[in-house]
Amino acid sequence: MAEATVASTWQRPFSAPESIPERADVVIIGGGIVGASTAWFLARQGVQVVLCEKGHIAGEQSGRNWGWVRVQGRDEREIPMMIEAFRTWDSFGEETGEDVGFERRGCLFAARTEKEMDAFANWVDVAGRFGIESRLVSPDEIKAFAPGARVAWKGGVITESDGRAEPQKAAPAFARAATRAGATILTSCAVRGLETEGGSVSAVVTEHGTIRTSTVLCAAGAWSSLFCRSLGIALPQLKVQGTVVRTAPCEGVLEGNLFDSRVGIRRRRDGGYSVAHGAVLHHSLTPATFRWSFKFLPALMKELKVLRLSFGKAFFEDWERERGWKLDGVSPFETTRVLDPQPNPRVVRGIRKHLDAVIPRLANTEIVESWAGMVETTPDVVPVIDAVPQLPGFHLATGFSGHGFGLGPGAGKAAAGLLTGTDSGIDIAPLRLSRFFDGSPIRMLSSI
């Protein structure tokens, strides 16, 4: 069995800090791609920033995702941020000396039906308005992009400027770059809650002590809603589980990213492929499912064919967590340092079946590792990047709904601008938290 290079991101000993700073200009909660890139942008501006991660940098979804860096198919509200993200993905290696495996090798969505082709044509119209060079492709052109594929697709859509990077490398690289720029990165350092003075944030309380600050960013991924709930802040968020596998190094039958309704495939830097099921997501019912059910109805209806619901211990675990905790006692963020769901064996078998059918030349290629991750999603599968008015000094950058890896550097720049009151050049008004409560229609224009 090959080395578990992906799982080694989170399957290693925890490293707690020997000490923590007494104060900071900004404290970031969460060491995923968004938190780490925000810290990097802030530190380069001379901001005294401390990032607190309860477990490992990239230990959860930021280290477990597909590794796609794409603008294709995104909600229009995300496109300006994604365009900005590409600028950082392009320049990050040269600026920092870090290798995150980023390459622009193209992204192809293939259609099995005419209905899918119609949707792709609509995307090409959207892309044109933003100057994105997406185009429809014929079955013959798909064969040129993915010469190993053997499906009678109707056609597809391709964005050749889209790319890929390695999730287990990216967020740690941003964290290291942030450290060199002056940030303090603390792992095994859970934030239990906040202290306030005069109704505004005055400090964060960690398991290792208190850090005085007036500005906090919650970029805690799937844990964000629970943390907000402890502060009396309503953040509509649910979790869905996805399973991914990687193959052993093998011949190159596809250099870019390929997705159809049954499988998603991308070439890896190590010579293998990361592969996911194109049509299965799992959601374990929790108290939040029922609390936010009405707001999530549009997403439920759109994802009905791919969503699998279950009821079990996750409901009672979340029920217990929501009962609250004291700031001088152990928090749920310490009892579960890494959210580490087990890959679904049935889904792994489905991935194997569909991979072999789509690219028969990979049929004898060994699957050497599988893993699962929890994707935090909002009702419209678009993130929240906003200041929270009922608690001055508290901000959110969360709810990326499976899009956060590619968007990460753009989100980091946008969040840094929000925290410092400077213009990042990215319009985050459509990403305000209040859109879920002010009567605005919940529009789901993309998917998880």
Side-chain angles (χ1 to χ4, degrees):
M1 199 72 154
E3 180 186 358
T5 58
V6 176
S8 62
T9 305
W10 57 87
Q11 291 180 349
R12 63 180 190 272
F14 295 106
S15 178
E18 295 181 1
S19 62
I20 65 172
E22 293 183 0
R23 61 181 60 251
D25 297 330
V26 175
V27 174
I28 298 171
I29 305 170
I33 186 72
V34 175
S37 59
T38 302
W40 182 62
F41 278 104
L42 289 172
R44 293 198 305 162
Q45 298 174 43
V47 176
Q48 185 183 13
V49 56
V50 175
L51 183 151
C52 297
E53 163 55 46
K54 61 183 175 53
H56 300 300
I57 300 298
E60 295 188 357
Q61 188 57 18
S62 285
R64 301 166 187 251
N65 62 82
W66 295 11
W68 293 32
V69 180
R70 64 171 175 88
V71 69
Q72 183 168 287
R74 290 196 181 277
D75 188 296
E76 291 186 42
R77 291 167 286 183
E78 294 180 339
I79 291 175
M81 188 184 302
M82 190 62 229
I83 291 172
E84 189 60 45
F86 269 122
R87 295 190 178 99
T88 300
W89 283 115
D90 280 328
S91 63
F92 183 73
E94 184 176 346
E95 288 186 43
T96 65
E98 297 278 359
D99 177 16
V100 297
F102 177 68
E103 294 184 64
R104 290 183 183 255
R105 292 295 191 130
C107 179
L108 172 69
F109 291 175
R112 292 177 181 257
T113 67
E114 293 297 339
K115 183 178 180 180
E116 289 174 324
M117 282 301 296
D118 290 341
F120 294 161
N122 290 337
W123 160 254
V124 170
D125 290 340
V126 171
R129 296 202 299 271
F130 287 89
I132 299 163
E133 295 183 352
S134 299
R135 61 185 177 86
L136 298 178
V137 293
S138 68
D140 286 342
E141 289 176 289
I142 294 178
K143 291 178 183 178
F145 182 84
R150 292 293 181 270
V151 177
W153 285 300
K154 301 289 184 181
V157 60
I158 190 170
T159 306
E160 291 171 305
S161 57
D162 279 351
R164 64 179 194 239
E166 298 300 333
Q168 74 272 20
K169 293 182 177 182
F174 274 98
R176 288 192 296 269
T179 299
R180 291 193 295 271
T184 299
I185 307 295
L186 305 175
T187 58
S188 301
C189 184
V191 173
R192 294 172 172 173
L194 306 182
E195 292 181 351
T196 61
E197 292 180 4
S200 299
V201 171
S202 61
V204 299
V205 179
T206 82
E207 62 181 295
H208 300 297
T210 299
I211 304 172
R212 302 287 298 178
T213 187
S214 61
T215 307
V216 173
L217 176 71
C218 179
W223 297 92
S224 299
S225 187
L226 177 64
F227 188 82
C228 286
R229 184 174 172 81
S230 74
L231 303 175
I233 296 166
L235 171 63
Q237 184 186 70
L238 296 178
K239 301 187 289 288
V240 296
Q241 177 179 323
T243 293
V244 187
V245 308
R246 71 174 177 92
T247 73
C250 55
E251 64 172 322
V253 296
L254 168 72
E255 290 303 320
N257 308 331
L258 172 66
F259 177 84
D260 85 342
S261 58
R262 297 180 187 176
V263 70
I265 313 169
R266 75 151 174 102
R267 187 68 155 164
R268 296 175 55 84
R269 178 62 69 85
D270 62 17
Y273 289 91
S274 285
V275 192
H277 202 299
V280 174
L281 291 170
H282 284 89
H283 172 64
S284 295
L285 300 176
T286 66
T289 308
F290 300 95
R291 183 181 309 121
W292 302 118
S293 58
F294 182 76
K295 294 186 184 298
F296 274 88
L297 276 177
L300 175 63
M301 297 308 295
K302 186 163 184 175
E303 304 284 9
L304 198 58
K305 290 183 179 180
V306 305
L307 196 60
R308 307 290 184 267
L309 302 178
S310 63
F311 180 85
K313 67 176 183 178
F315 183 93
F316 300 101
E317 288 173 348
D318 278 20
W319 181 279
E320 183 65 24
R321 289 176 181 134
E322 290 182 358
R323 294 176 61 183
W325 56 91
K326 295 180 179 180
L327 298 188
D328 60 356
V330 176
S331 70
F333 315 115
E334 294 149 75
T335 56
T336 305
R337 290 201 179 274
V338 176
L339 195 57
D340 187 22
Q342 294 304 299
N344 186 307
R346 185 174 180 180
V347 174
V348 172
R349 291 193 296 270
I351 292 172
R352 173 85 268 177
K353 174 184 175 181
H354 294 314
L355 176 62
D356 296 353
V358 171
I359 306 183
R361 285 163 59 183
L362 296 181
N364 294 322
T365 301
E366 183 185 6
I367 290 176
V368 296
E369 186 180 8
S370 62
W371 64 91
M374 299 301 289
V375 179
E376 93 278 15
T377 182
T378 64
D380 57 5
V381 299
V382 170
V384 173
I385 301 179
D386 197 9
V388 179
Q390 61 262 49
L391 182 53
F394 184 62
H395 307 75
L396 293 170
T398 190
F400 284 84
S401 307
H403 311 162
F405 181 69
L407 280 171
K413 184 174 183 179
L418 172 67
L419 297 169
T420 57
T422 57
D423 183 9
S424 67
I426 303 168
D427 182 14
I428 60 172
L431 310 181
R432 67 193 187 282
L433 175 62
S434 63
R435 72 184 189 268
F436 299 123
F437 304 102
D438 62 8
S440 299
I442 295 177
R443 300 178 297 121
M444 185 178 173
L445 303 179
S446 183
S447 60
I448 298 170

